[in-house]
Amino acid sequence: MDRRDHRGTSGVHPGVTPGPRPYADAERVNQDVLDLARLQFALTAGGHFLFVALTLGLAPVVAVLQTRATFGRNPVHARMVRFWGRLYVINYAVGIVTGLVMEFQFGMAWSGLTHEAGNVLGASLAVETVVAFFVESTFLGLWIFGRHRINRWAHLAAIWIVVLTAYLSAYWILVSNGFLNHPVGYGSAEDGGLVLDDPVAVLTNPSALLALGHVVAGALLTAGFFMAGVSAYHLFRRGPEGEFFGRGLRIGVFLSAPALMATAVFGGLQLGALATFQPMKSAVFGGKAAEIARLQAEMTERFGPGDYVPSEAWTRGGGLVMLLCFALMMYLCFAGVILACFKKAVFRFRLWHVVLMAAVPLPYLAMISGWVFREAGRQPWVVYGLLTTEDAVSDLSPGSMRFSLTVFTTLFVLLAVLNARLLARHARLGPVESGLGHDERPDSDDGPGGTADPADALPAPRY
C-alpha cells in the first residue's frame, strides 16, 4: 500500500485523497540527497532564525524608548533610542540577507513541497514577502534617514509601523509552518495537489497561533538578555556611561522575567496540544515505548510500510536542551529582578555582570533547540500526514547538493561572523554621538550649491 494514496485522511477534510504525483517516487530518492537537503534547510532556517529572534525582540523596545523620548523629551531616552536602534539596524540588515538566501534553497531543494502544497503555502509566503520586503523595509528606511527630516510624530509612527509589520511578517511565516505541522483548511485538486479550501481555518490554525505567541515571547526574552549583557559589559568596565547602562540593564532584566513566563505558558500549551496534533512526537519526547509501538503500527496500517518514528536523539535532545535553558534562565531572571531593585548591585556587583554577559547566548540556544524539537519531531513528514520528506525533496544529484550545501553554509557562516563582529564593535563603542540619529546637517540653511533643502524647513524632533 503506497502511503501517498492516503495523504488526504488527515486535516480538516478527512475524505480528501490527493492522488500520487507522477514525479514523486520514494524508491528513486537518493538518501544522500535527502540527508544533505535536510541539513541545508536546518542550517539556513536555524541561521536565519538567530537574526529574527533579536530583531523581533529589539524592535518594540526601541519603539517604546522612542515613545517615552517623544512624549517626555528626556535626552537619556533619546540617546538610548540611538544606541539600541543602531544595534537593531545592524542585526536587521544582515538578517534580511539570510532570509533572501534561504528563499533560494527552499525552491531548489524542495520542489515536491511547492508542487504539492504551493497553492496553500504560496499565499501566506507572498503576503509575508510584501509585508517584510516592501512595507517594513520602507518604513525602516524612513525611520533611519528621516530623523531630523520629518515631523517627530511621523518619525515615531514609522518605528511603530516597523514593529507592527515585523510581527505580521512573523505571523505569516508561522501560518505556513503551522500548516506543515497541523494541516487544516485544504482540499484536493484534480492533479492530486492540495488547494486552499478554508482560509479562515488556515489563518486561525492553533499550531500557528500558539507558535506565534511562543516565538514573540522568546524574541523579547532574547532582547532582554542581550540588553542586560551589553549593559553589564560597560558596567563591569566602570566606564563613564554608568547611568545610561544602569538603565539599560534594568530594562533588560525587567523585560526578561515576564517574557520568560509568557514563553513558558505558550510552550506548555504547545506541548499539551502535541498529543492531538502529533501524537508520535509526544510519545517520543515522553519516552513512552509502548505508545510509540502502538502508533507505529497504526500509521503503518494507515499509510503503508515505513518508519514513522522521528529521531529520538534530535527530538528528545532538542526538547531537553530547551527545558534546561529555561530552567537556567528562570533562576537568572528571578535573581536578576531582586538584584536590579538595588542600585549598588546594579553598578557594583561585578560577579553578576559577568554572569549576565555569559548568559546572552542562553535564549538563542533555547530557541534553536526548541525549533529543532518542533521540526525534527515531525519527521518523516513535511506536511504532517500528507507529504513525506522523501516525496518533497527535489530530484538532484548528490554532487549538486554537496556544492549547494557548501556554498550556503559558507555564506551563512560569513554573515553570522560579520553580524557578531559588527554588533560587538558597536556595542563596545557605547552611545557615541555619531551615526544613527545624529544630526549631521550643516548649520547653513543652504544645501549644495546654495540651494535650500526644502526638508530643512520641517521641524526637527527634539527628544
Side-chain angles (χ1 to χ4, degrees):
M1 180 186 300
D2 191 310
R3 71 186 65 167
R4 291 168 294 162
D5 293 338
H6 293 267
R7 286 172 297 176
T9 57
S10 74
V12 74
H13 295 287
V16 174
T17 306
R21 294 175 287 112
Y23 51 84
D25 183 359
E27 285 71 28
R28 67 153 174 82
V29 173
N30 187 295
Q31 190 62 39
D32 288 341
V33 173
L34 180 59
D35 292 340
L36 291 169
R38 290 183 61 192
L39 178 59
Q40 178 176 275
F41 187 82
L43 291 173
T44 54
H48 180 61
F49 194 53
L50 291 175
F51 295 91
V52 171
L54 185 58
T55 298
L56 287 177
L58 273 183
V61 173
V62 173
V64 170
L65 288 172
Q66 182 164 340
T67 302
R68 294 189 64 182
T70 303
F71 281 92
R73 304 296 184 92
N74 189 327
V76 174
H77 291 144
R79 295 181 72 219
M80 295 184 80
V81 170
R82 291 197 294 269
F83 175 70
W84 298 111
R86 183 167 67 248
L87 300 180
Y88 163 75
V89 169
I90 291 171
N91 190 77
Y92 179 94
V94 181
I96 209 74
V97 178
T98 64
L100 291 170
V101 172
M102 193 177 70
E103 293 290 339
F104 287 106
Q105 68 87 34
F106 199 29
M108 180 190 70
W110 301 100
S111 60
L113 176 62
T114 57
H115 281 285
E116 180 75 10
N119 290 326
V120 179
L121 303 177
S124 57
L125 292 176
V127 173
E128 190 276 334
T129 300
V130 171
V131 170
F133 292 101
F134 292 95
V135 181
E136 183 182 359
S137 57
T138 297
F139 280 93
L140 182 60
L142 286 174
W143 184 75
I144 295 172
F145 302 108
R147 190 184 296 269
H148 308 296
R149 296 287 183 180
I150 61 177
N151 180 276
R152 63 193 178 98
W153 300 108
H155 193 254
L156 176 63
I159 188 61
W160 277 112
I161 293 174
V162 169
V163 174
L164 176 63
T165 51
Y167 281 79
L168 284 174
S169 177
Y171 166 72
W172 286 109
I173 286 293
L174 289 170
V175 165
S176 297
N177 184 263
F179 181 81
L180 300 182
N181 281 276
H182 179 56
V184 295
Y186 66 88
S188 178
E190 293 181 358
D191 62 357
L194 303 176
V195 294
L196 184 61
D197 185 61
D198 187 351
V200 175
V202 175
L203 297 178
T204 59
N205 189 344
S207 179
L209 298 180
L210 292 176
L212 177 65
H214 193 59
V215 167
V216 167
L220 293 172
L221 177 64
T222 303
F225 269 70
F226 178 79
M227 292 184 69
V230 171
S231 301
Y233 168 81
H234 287 274
L235 293 172
F236 179 82
R237 291 168 58 95
R238 306 280 174 86
E241 296 286 353
E243 185 64 29
F244 180 94
F245 286 108
R247 291 192 181 203
L249 186 146
R250 283 194 172 105
I251 291 173
V253 168
F254 290 130
L255 172 64
S256 298
L260 180 69
M261 293 299 100
T263 304
V265 169
F266 281 105
L269 292 173
Q270 288 187 97
L271 284 175
L274 274 184
T276 302
F277 296 164
Q278 297 178 16
M280 181 63 83
K281 181 196 295 185
S282 178
V284 170
F285 180 65
K288 303 173 182 177
E291 182 70 6
I292 293 173
R294 184 185 68 81
L295 291 170
Q296 169 66 23
E298 286 184 0
M299 298 182 84
T300 299
E301 180 180 356
R302 181 178 178 183
F303 300 110
D307 183 5
Y308 298 96
V309 181
S311 168
E312 183 176 357
W314 286 109
T315 304
R316 294 198 69 192
L320 291 176
V321 170
M322 175 184 64
L323 294 176
L324 178 61
C325 291
F326 167 77
L328 291 174
M329 289 188 290
M330 181 180 65
Y331 289 119
L332 290 175
C333 285
F334 287 164
V337 167
I338 296 173
L339 291 171
C341 295
F342 299 93
K343 187 174 182 179
K344 184 174 290 188
V346 170
F347 292 98
R348 298 293 177 184
F349 194 0
R350 304 188 79 179
L351 177 60
W352 184 35
H353 298 158
V354 172
V355 171
L356 289 176
M357 287 187 279
V360 170
L362 276 179
Y364 286 101
L365 180 59
M367 294 192 79
I368 288 297
S369 58
W371 198 254
V372 168
F373 170 72
R374 180 177 175 87
E375 299 304 303
R378 190 173 73 238
Q379 295 302 312
W381 305 102
V382 172
V383 183
Y384 195 80
L386 299 178
L387 180 68
T388 65
T389 311
E390 286 182 330
D391 290 341
V393 72
S394 300
D395 185 14
L396 299 172
S397 68
S400 298
M401 277 308 310
R402 289 190 185 94
F403 176 76
S404 171
L405 177 62
T406 302
V407 171
F408 280 113
T409 302
T410 302
L411 182 58
F412 266 72
V413 169
L414 290 176
L415 290 172
V417 171
L418 174 65
N419 187 64
R421 288 178 63 88
L422 288 174
L423 286 178
R425 176 186 176 186
H426 287 274
R428 283 197 300 266
L429 285 176
V432 296
E433 296 304 323
S434 61
L436 180 68
H438 180 64
D439 190 359
E440 297 179 347
R441 294 176 299 169
D443 294 333
S444 171
D445 292 334
D446 294 338
T451 304
D453 185 349
D456 290 337
L458 296 173
R462 299 179 181 274
Y463 297 144

